[in-house]
Structure formats: C-alpha cells, structure tokens
Amino acid sequence: TEALCLSEWVLIFTSLPPEVLCTTTASALYRVRWQVELVIKRLKSLLNVDELRAHKGSKLADLYLHGKLLYA
C-alpha cells in the first residue's frame, strides 16, 4: 500500500454507477472532501471548539465563535 500511496493512487469505493458519477468527478470530489476535512480540523485546533465556554446555540457562543474565526 505504501507504493500506491507514493504513486498518488486513490481507491474510491462507491455504489454509484459510472453513468451517474464518472471516475474523474468522483476522484475530484474525494480530493476536495479531504481538503475540507483538513481545514475543519485546523480550525477546531485553533479555536479550541471542544473547550467552548458558552452553551451551544446561545448568542454568547455565536459571538465567541465569530470572534475566534476572525482571529484565525
């Protein structure tokens, strides 16, 4: 598997037929999905979302998150 990784191979398993989603599109979507996950993980790390001091859904939580996002 290391050789496949170094060759930039990506295995994607899907139940969608090729008529619905071609291989090129599936590959592009997968790569974008991975980049989005990395950004979300980075923001969670910067913002300490798990240590939020306000109650979920409150105005204070909303303000706190927006302030942290601006900071990041």
Side-chain angles (χ1 to χ4, degrees), residues 1-20:
T1 59
E2 188 174 338
L4 290 177
C5 182
L6 293 174
S7 299
E8 296 186 5
W9 277 65
V10 177
L11 296 176
I12 301 172
F13 297 96
T14 179
S15 59
L16 293 173
E19 298 81 31
V20 174

Side-chain angles (χ1 to χ4, degrees), residues 31-64:
R31 284 187 167 88
V32 167
R33 178 191 150 273
W34 182 245
Q35 295 303 314
V36 168
E37 280 191 33
L38 290 176
V39 168
I40 289 170
K41 287 178 187 282
R42 177 72 177 140
L43 284 175
K44 279 185 76 175
S45 164
L46 285 172
L47 303 176
N48 294 326
V49 171
D50 295 331
E51 298 173 13
L52 188 61
R53 296 183 299 262
H55 295 290
K56 182 179 179 180
S58 71
K59 288 185 180 189
L60 179 59
D62 189 46
L63 176 66
Y64 182 78

